[in-house]
Amino acid sequence: MANQGNQTTLLRERHIRTLQLLERPYSCITYLQRATSHERLGYPDLAVGDAYRALLLTDEIAEESGEYHKQAFETYEFDLGIEWPPDSVWVKPMDEKIEEKLFQGLNLDFEPKTSCVQRCQSEEEQYNDRIVRLLRLKCFACLSEYLCQCGCLKSAFDYAERGLKLDPGNSRFLNLRRQAIQTCNKSLLEKDPNWDNWTYNPSQELPDQGSARRELYPWNDHEPDRFGEESLKFLDEEMKKVAPKCKVRAVSLPVLETGTTSNPSSKPPATNTQLGVFAREDIAPHEVLLQERSLLTANNRLHDPLCDACSAPLPPISALGEPLPTCPDCDDIIFCSQTCFTLATSLYHPAVCGKPDLEAVAKDPSPLAATNALYLLLLGRTFALSQTQSIHPLDLPETKYLWGDFTPPDKHQTSEKYLRQLPFTFEDNILAPLHFLTKMDIDIFASLPTTDTWIISTLLAKFRGVASARMNPRTRIPE
């Protein structure tokens, strides 16, 4: 992590790169540059997100059939400073230092060669192929290095292997591959000094479950003061709507720490402020206390008879005497009531309507993947709410006040025991969310202000802070 003085410079640098991406969202180069800024700030997980989007853009540059080929290629030409004459046969003489400028700040270990002047069309294609190859190598190297820092050693090893396939014998990828193996070996030996690696297959047995810093990012200006007067007033008014006899208050609770002694100390005990629900007036035994209809719900069973909006069990058809409301443009999207149907069509469903590929995403997962599948579906519902209402995902009333168990702001530079960690894997934190957004027909490059990796990480921290995602072992329904 950068020291305090250097952090200010790095945050300014990251801000500049982000502004550049808002102006040119299909810039592979700028994504790689911002990845470097994130890594130097101590956020290798965010660097992984940037490097992966950069890798996707190299495919868009190279493939004329790509969905974003035109935008990516034009941005690539802009980044290289290429100017085409009217006949499109010869290019104007290029600066001999163009590639050095292109890769400035990327710490590229692959020796770039200066380009020729006045190259014909076929030479132009060869030149572009070579530059795209260099960019892919850089993406592979960044992904391998940053994933290793996150603890995702299997994915780090895989990207080092991909780099070696593209550039056999490259010393940097050999070192990155070795680093992933050595990191795992060290961890296993610490756990078991007698561990024997003779039967160890790194391509299959490397661990891939890592972690990331769980904190409010310095540039996150969407987080409210949950204990401020304005927030408490808003939350109390919302509580009155669903639980008239309850109120919301901030309360200080003692911090329970392991390993403490019973000896009295002159130092006052540490406390932790949280929001609590208290009785506003007397509540009778067996009285219904709270009734709330939430649209931020998830169900990972593909054909379970549950309401698409609130995830409540569908009532028997015979009890209603009329068919349940359904979406005419979707298969198997049913609602438990006209109220849920109306809320869905006005608040989230238009963003996913008529997209059949979404219906099976993260559904019926294996028991090991069930928890992460639920968090992915909560992410998907959040982005659907955001897209339909044109509200930033972190400003939605369903997410804005959620507790994320973030590292306290005054503890970032102190003992490791205060630092919170967010579970992180390349599949669950990067690939799956971007895949879901793509299935929603969301441009993951142009939508950066609302789909950036730090936004996804913040949402996941909030979901994990308030939803355990435990599955009932008998019914396999989330509780």
Side-chain angles (χ1 to χ4, degrees):
M1 187 185 302
N3 59 46
Q4 191 64 36
N6 193 33
Q7 186 182 41
T8 302
T9 301
L10 291 174
L11 284 172
R12 186 182 303 112
E13 179 183 292
R14 180 209 171 267
H15 178 65
I16 292 172
R17 299 304 184 197
T18 302
L19 291 178
Q20 291 172 340
L21 284 172
L22 296 181
E23 182 180 351
R24 302 192 305 278
Y26 303 95
S27 175
C28 170
I29 302 297
T30 308
Y31 268 115
L32 285 173
Q33 290 170 331
R34 197 178 71 152
T36 300
S37 298
H38 277 143
E39 190 272 337
R40 293 171 65 192
L41 279 166
Y43 301 116
D45 55 314
L46 303 186
V48 168
D50 283 346
Y52 183 67
R53 294 197 199 209
L55 179 61
L56 295 178
L57 284 168
T58 64
D59 294 335
E60 296 294 335
I61 294 170
E63 300 294 333
E64 293 186 5
S65 60
E67 184 176 1
Y68 306 110
H69 170 74
K70 183 176 183 295
Q71 300 97 314
F73 194 82
E74 288 178 352
T75 307
Y76 156 82
E77 290 185 325
F78 179 88
D79 288 338
L80 265 65
I82 295 177
E83 298 180 41
W84 299 100
D87 58 12
S88 297
V89 176
W90 303 98
V91 300
K92 295 181 179 179
M94 297 180 63
D95 185 344
E96 290 185 356
K97 299 294 184 181
I98 185 65
E99 292 180 28
E100 285 83 346
K101 292 180 181 178
L102 172 64
F103 296 113
Q104 185 178 9
L106 294 185
N107 301 321
L108 197 67
D109 291 347
F110 316 106
E111 195 67 32
K113 299 178 181 179
T114 57
S115 55
C116 304
V117 299
Q118 287 190 325
R119 55 185 80 245
C120 65
Q121 186 71 24
S122 61
E123 290 173 325
E124 168 218 332
E125 292 173 350
Q126 293 174 6
Y127 176 76
N128 286 334
D129 288 346
R130 190 169 69 82
I131 294 296
V132 171
R133 178 174 175 273
L134 285 172
L135 289 171
R136 281 185 175 142
L137 287 170
K138 179 59 184 177
C139 291
F140 292 155
C142 286
L143 285 167
S144 181
E145 179 180 350
Y146 303 154
L147 283 165
C148 190
Q149 291 181 32
C150 293
C152 304
L153 303 182
K154 174 67 167 57
S155 296
F157 181 92
D158 290 344
Y159 274 105
E161 288 281 275
R162 291 181 67 176
L164 287 171
K165 287 182 180 179
L166 188 59
D167 192 15
N170 184 287
S171 60
R172 184 174 185 185
F173 288 113
L174 290 171
N175 290 333
L176 287 169
R177 187 175 65 177
R178 188 181 305 112
Q179 179 183 352
I181 296 173
Q182 290 176 346
T183 301
C184 180
N185 291 352
K186 180 180 178 182
S187 175
L188 292 173
L189 284 171
E190 287 176 351
K191 294 178 182 178
D192 180 9
N194 298 318
W195 174 72
D196 186 356
N197 66 352
W198 282 104
T199 60
Y200 177 60
N201 185 348
S203 64
Q204 297 180 359
E205 300 179 41
L206 282 170
D208 217 28
Q209 177 65 62
S211 62
R213 289 164 60 182
R214 186 172 187 161
E215 63 183 61
L216 289 174
Y217 299 105
W219 54 85
N220 180 359
D221 57 2
H222 298 273
E223 193 70 15
D225 178 5
R226 297 173 69 245
F227 312 116
E229 182 178 349
E230 183 179 347
S231 295
L232 289 175
K233 182 179 179 180
F234 171 81
L235 292 172
D236 195 47
E237 290 299 319
E238 292 298 303
M239 182 60 67
K240 286 181 182 179
K241 298 175 184 177
V242 297
K245 292 189 175 183
C246 296
K247 60 182 176 180
V248 177
R249 284 175 45 193
V251 59
S252 294
L253 302 173
V255 175
L256 302 179
E257 297 184 358
T258 58
T260 57
T261 63
S262 58
N263 295 332
S265 172
S266 58
K267 184 177 180 180
T271 59
N272 182 22
T273 304
Q274 291 289 347
L275 296 179
V277 179
F278 296 82
R280 194 185 301 272
E281 55 185 272
D282 290 344
I283 300 171
H286 307 295
E287 180 180 356
V288 176
L289 184 62
L290 182 149
Q291 286 186 321
E292 181 183 18
R293 189 189 305 268
S294 174
L295 299 183
L296 185 54
T297 60
N299 165 46
N300 61 7
R301 300 297 300 276
L302 184 56
H303 295 297
D304 268 12
L306 302 176
C307 176
D308 185 74
C310 69
S311 288
L314 296 175
I317 297 179
S318 58
L320 298 176
E322 58 184 28
L324 293 171
T326 62
C327 174
D329 299 318
C330 299
D331 295 331
D332 301 324
I333 300 298
I334 308 174
F335 303 94
C336 66
S337 64
Q338 188 63 38
T339 300
C340 272
F341 174 78
T342 302
L343 288 171
T345 53
S346 62
L347 297 179
Y348 79 85
H349 189 65
V352 295
C353 185
K355 299 178 174 65
D357 291 346
L358 273 174
E359 295 180 16
V361 174
K363 296 298 179 70
D364 290 342
S366 68
L368 292 176
T371 295
N372 287 322
L374 284 170
Y375 290 131
L376 175 62
L377 291 171
L378 286 174
L379 270 178
R381 177 59 61 86
T382 300
F383 284 117
L385 289 163
S386 170
Q387 289 284 311
T388 301
Q389 301 176 60
S390 298
I391 300 176
H392 192 282
L394 297 177
D395 289 333
L396 290 165
E398 292 89 349
T399 61
K400 186 171 184 176
Y401 299 95
L402 293 180
W403 178 66
D405 193 21
F406 300 111
T407 300
D410 59 336
K411 302 297 185 182
H412 287 173
Q413 308 294 333
T414 58
S415 172
E416 288 289 330
K417 71 177 182 178
Y418 292 108
L419 301 181
R420 309 287 196 269
Q421 298 292 322
L422 180 70
F424 181 90
T425 69
F426 186 48
E427 172 65 32
D428 296 320
N429 296 61
I430 304 295
L431 296 183
L434 292 183
H435 175 71
F436 202 106
L437 290 169
T438 301
K439 293 293 185 182
M440 289 178 63
D441 292 335
I442 293 176
D443 183 339
I444 61 173
F445 307 109
S447 66
L448 189 67
T450 56
T451 64
D452 208 343
T453 305
W454 72 267
I455 297 171
I456 294 172
S457 295
T458 300
L459 288 170
L460 286 174
K462 286 173 175 272
F463 296 154
R464 287 182 176 273
V466 299
S468 68
R470 286 193 297 265
M471 303 288 291
N472 185 304
R474 181 176 60 85
T475 65
R476 293 191 62 201
I477 295 176
E479 298 179 330

